[in-house]
Amino acid sequence: MRRRMRLRRDASLTLLLGTALGFLLYAQRDGAAPTTSAPPARVRAAPRPTSGPRAFQVPDAGAALPAYEEDIPAPPTPTGPFDFGRYLRAKDQRRFPLLINQPHKCRGDGAPGGRPDLLIAVKSVAADFERRQAVRQTWGAEGRVQGALVRRVFLLGVPRGAGTDAADGEGAGTRTHWRALLGAESRAFADILLWAFDDTFFNLTLKEIHFLAWASAFCPDVRFVFKGDADVFVHVGNLLEFLAPRDPGQDLLAGDVIIHARPIRTRASKYYIPEAVYGLPSYPAYAGGGGFVLSGATLRRLTRACAQVELFPIDDVFLGMCLQRLRLTPEPHPAFRTFGISQPSAAPHLRTFDPCFYRELVVVHGLSAADIWLMWRLLNGPHGPACAHSQPVAAGPFQWDS
C-alpha cells in the first residue's frame, strides 16, 4: 500500500516537472532569439597604410615580398570596381587638351637669372579648394625662400560626373559650373592646370605624363621640381638645404623609395592588378607618390621615357617603370615620410604631431588642411617653440631623441 502511494507521488511529481519544463521551453522559443542564429557581423576596419619607414635592403632569399601599398590615404574620387576591359581598350589614349594653362609660370620674377629654383606641383581635385588654400598660404607659398625662387601649380582633371561628352546636356551644365569656378580660381591665383580627362584614381598616371610634358614645354630651365599630394606637409627650407649641393644638370629623383613590392592579386582590393596587365612578381623600385623631388635634367629625360612606356594604372609604379627604362635608381631619403611618422613601440604615449619632429623632416604625408595650418604656425609663428629653429636635414636615419 505504501509502495503504491509512493509510486503515485513520484508519477505526479514527474508529470508536474515535465509540464513546467514544457512551458519553459515554449516561452524560450517565442521570447528569445534561437541559439543557432548567426552572430551580428563585425564591422572590419579598413586596412591602414603602413606608416613605418621603408626598408630599402633586398629581402632574404625565399622571403615573402611586400605587397604594394599606396601612400595616398584615399583616392581622389570613389573608384568602385575597376573596369580593366575599358582600361585596356583606352590605355593608348594619352593626349588630352589643356583646358586651363599657366604659360607664364616659369618666366621668373623679373630679376636676372629669374628661372625658378623650385617648382612645386601638387596633385589636387576640383572640389578640394580648402587644401589648395592651405598649401598656398603655408609651405607652398610662392616667392623667395632662403634666396631660392619658388613657383607653384596644382594638377587637376575634370571632376567625375561633370561629363566630357558635349552631347550630354546635364553633364555639360555641370562641366560649365566647375569650369567657371576653376577659371575664377585660376584668375585669382594663377596656379591651376586643368586637363580634359576624368579626375579618377586610375587616371593619376595621365596626370603624371601630362604634367611632365607641360613642365618640359613651359618650364624648360627649372632647376628642381617637387611633386606631391595636397595632404602633405613640406618643410621647404629643409628641402632647399638638401638640394643646395646638388647639380640640377645631373640625374636626381629622391624620396621615400619602395623596392620589391609585389602586385596585389586580390580582386576586392582597389589596387588589384591582374596578371594579364602586369605579369612580373614584383614592381620596379619607385618613390612614393606622396612627395618626391627631381632635378631639371631628370624631368626632361623622364618626359621622353614615359612617352615610350605603356601606361599603367598606378601612377607612382608607372614612374618607377619609366626610371627603369632610363636605368636610373631613385634615391632613398629618410626625411621623406610618405607613410607619416610612425609611433615607436618604446614610447606608446609619444605625441608624433610635434614641431620638434617636423623640423628635421622634408615631407610628412596624411595631414588634414587644419593640421597643415597648425604645424606651419608652430614652426613659423613669431612665438614658435624653442625647437622650431632652422636645423640641417639629418644625413642618417631619423632619431626620435634628436
Side-chain angles (χ1 to χ4, degrees):
M1 183 70 177
R2 291 181 179 177
R3 182 177 179 180
R4 187 177 300 172
M5 292 178 64
R6 188 167 58 252
L7 290 174
R8 287 179 180 177
R9 186 173 63 252
D10 292 342
S12 300
L13 182 60
T14 301
L15 180 62
L16 179 62
L17 290 174
T19 303
L21 180 61
F23 277 110
L24 180 63
L25 292 174
Y26 182 83
Q28 182 178 7
R29 189 193 71 170
D30 288 351
T35 57
T36 57
S37 63
R42 294 182 178 179
V43 178
R44 291 186 177 183
R48 300 184 64 183
T50 305
S51 59
R54 309 273 58 80
F56 305 131
Q57 67 272 16
V58 179
D60 297 334
L65 297 177
Y68 172 85
E69 291 186 36
E70 171 61 22
D71 52 344
I72 302 178
T77 53
T79 61
F82 185 52
D83 186 350
F84 276 100
R86 181 179 179 183
Y87 166 75
L88 291 172
R89 290 191 297 271
K91 67 181 178 60
D92 294 326
Q93 186 179 3
R94 53 196 302 157
R95 291 186 178 181
F96 290 83
L98 183 58
L99 303 177
I100 298 179
N101 191 12
Q102 307 299 333
H104 308 301
K105 176 57 65 174
C106 292
R107 291 191 177 178
D109 58 357
R115 64 174 179 172
D117 296 293
L118 178 65
L119 174 65
I120 294 174
V122 181
K123 294 177 286 186
S124 185
V125 294
D128 214 352
F129 177 77
E130 180 184 18
R131 285 192 186 276
R132 289 194 293 276
Q133 279 295 84
V135 171
R136 286 179 181 121
Q137 300 186 24
T138 57
W139 64 265
E142 294 189 313
R144 293 279 172 178
V145 180
Q146 297 177 188
L149 180 60
V150 177
R151 289 288 182 255
R152 173 197 66 241
V153 289
F154 291 97
L155 316 177
L156 291 83
V158 175
R160 170 169 286 189
T164 55
D165 184 1
D168 182 0
E170 182 178 355
T174 307
R175 184 171 64 253
T176 302
H177 170 69
W178 281 108
R179 283 287 300 276
L181 289 176
L182 291 173
E185 186 175 348
S186 175
R187 290 188 294 274
F189 301 104
D191 58 6
I192 298 293
L193 295 176
L194 174 67
W195 285 276
F197 53 79
D198 289 340
D199 207 341
T200 61
F201 176 74
F202 284 98
N203 274 351
L204 288 175
T205 300
L206 292 177
K207 196 172 285 188
E208 189 78 56
I209 63 172
H210 282 76
F211 166 70
L212 290 173
W214 179 89
S216 295
F218 293 97
C219 296
D221 298 324
V222 66
R223 292 171 56 84
F224 296 98
V225 176
F226 173 83
K227 184 170 179 291
D229 293 334
D231 60 343
V232 299
F233 180 87
V234 181
H235 195 307
V236 176
N238 285 348
L239 177 60
L240 291 172
E241 288 185 22
F242 165 68
L243 295 175
R246 311 302 290 254
D247 181 359
Q250 300 296 319
D251 276 323
L252 169 70
L253 193 147
D256 188 358
V257 177
I258 297 94
I259 62 170
H260 293 286
R262 57 183 173 82
I264 290 181
R265 307 299 190 190
T266 305
R267 288 183 178 272
S269 172
K270 69 179 180 181
Y271 305 115
Y272 164 66
I273 299 294
E275 292 190 41
V277 174
Y278 188 84
L280 298 178
S282 64
Y283 292 132
Y286 63 91
F292 58 87
V293 66
L294 65 158
S295 66
T298 301
L299 168 74
R300 294 183 286 274
R301 294 188 65 204
L302 267 181
T303 303
R304 295 189 293 269
C306 289
Q308 301 169 356
V309 174
E310 185 173 338
L311 294 183
F312 189 75
I314 302 178
D315 62 323
D316 48 8
V317 174
F318 169 77
L319 202 62
M321 295 173 178
C322 300
L323 293 174
Q324 187 179 51
R325 185 177 184 87
L326 294 174
R327 301 183 184 275
L328 177 62
T329 302
E331 178 181 324
H333 195 291
F336 287 73
R337 296 301 178 100
T338 59
F339 284 74
I341 302 177
S342 59
Q343 193 159 9
S345 57
H349 302 297
L350 186 66
R351 293 173 58 250
T352 57
F353 189 77
D354 190 304
C356 298
F357 297 146
Y358 282 66
R359 66 169 181 163
E360 298 263 352
L361 301 177
V362 173
V363 176
V364 181
H365 189 255
L367 276 70
S368 68
D371 288 341
I372 293 173
W373 277 100
L374 177 58
M375 184 52 64
W376 177 259
R377 292 292 297 172
L378 290 174
L379 284 172
N380 297 278
H383 305 291
C387 67
H389 59 272
S390 178
Q391 294 284 341
V393 177
F398 179 69
Q399 300 295 327
W400 285 101
D401 58 353
S402 59

